Amino acid sequence: MTEDLVDPRRSEPPQVVSERETLEGWLEFHRMTLLLKCEGLDDEARKARPIPTSLLSLQGLVRHMAEVERSWFRRTLGHEPDAPAVFGARGSGDDLSRVDGADWATDLHAWEAECDFSRATAASMTLDDTRAGRGRPVSLRWVYVHMIEEYARHNGHADLLRELADGAVGW
């Protein structure tokens, strides 16, 4: 069992920085956490659904977060409301559930590309800039907080999935 592994690619943001640096730092922290939960496993372990009542897998979580990044940063903030889903039809759940034939390198690349797009979109905005999201204005600040919450929740799932895969805990 691995406890409290440290990886130089991931660290908590400094405690005394600007609001934007704090939000960006925590979002990057959680993005890296998800990646670390998936590293060092083979395809079978990343695709495993070890909880009988759930369709969750580590690879499915990466695919899902690619869709979430796309939804908020590309469709809402990036003015591409008609951007198609990365995996299956929008709202179909294919991102989480259809991993059996999925290719890890392709899925990882798709998630990384959406994260890169998200960073570029956010860099062009202030925290108070707003766009129409789900019929009402939404600010970059709100999207950052929501994304941190979304990653944190799913990283909790990833913690359990990784521990069931090989006993590894921490990160």
Side-chain angles (χ1 to χ4, degrees):
M1 187 182 304
T2 309
E3 303 246 355
D4 298 322
L5 295 177
V6 176
D7 189 292
R9 296 171 295 169
R10 188 192 87 144
S11 61
E12 289 185 7
Q15 294 179 336
V16 182
V17 293
S18 72
E19 178 184 13
R20 186 173 189 126
E21 289 171 296
T22 299
L23 293 170
E24 289 175 350
W26 278 112
L27 183 52
E28 291 302 329
F29 176 89
H30 283 293
R31 285 172 174 153
M32 183 54 64
T33 298
L34 182 58
L35 178 62
L36 291 171
K37 289 294 177 182
C38 296
E39 287 186 342
L41 294 173
D42 61 21
D43 283 345
E44 183 179 335
R46 278 191 301 270
K47 291 177 183 178
R49 296 180 185 108
I51 302 166
T53 58
S54 174
L55 293 176
L56 290 179
S57 68
L58 288 167
Q59 189 159 342
L61 289 174
V62 169
R63 291 163 59 100
H64 175 67
M65 290 312 300
E67 294 291 359
V68 173
E69 295 268 358
R70 187 177 194 85
S71 179
W72 287 108
F73 287 96
R74 187 178 297 271
R75 291 188 193 114
T76 300
L77 298 178
H79 300 291
E80 295 182 35
D82 297 325
V86 182
F87 306 104
R90 282 173 67 172
S92 68
D94 286 350
D95 50 343
L96 284 169
S97 62
R98 301 210 181 242
V99 298
D100 292 336
D103 176 70
W104 172 247
T106 301
D107 291 353
L108 179 61
H109 176 74
W111 174 68
E112 290 172 334
E114 290 304 322
C115 290
D116 288 344
F117 186 91
S118 297
R119 290 181 192 101
T121 299
S124 70
M125 300 176 68
T126 70
L127 290 178
D128 292 323
D129 284 346
T130 61
R131 304 286 191 270
R134 297 181 182 173
R136 61 179 189 246
V138 61
S139 68
L140 173 60
R141 177 183 287 104
W142 188 93
V143 170
Y144 271 148
V145 172
H146 175 68
M147 292 298 295
I148 293 164
E149 172 272 326
E150 184 89 8
Y151 271 101
R153 181 165 38 97
H154 290 309
N155 282 340
H157 300 138
D159 283 340
L160 293 172
L161 293 169
R162 181 60 188 250
E163 186 173 358
L164 290 169
D166 68 356
V169 297
W171 294 287

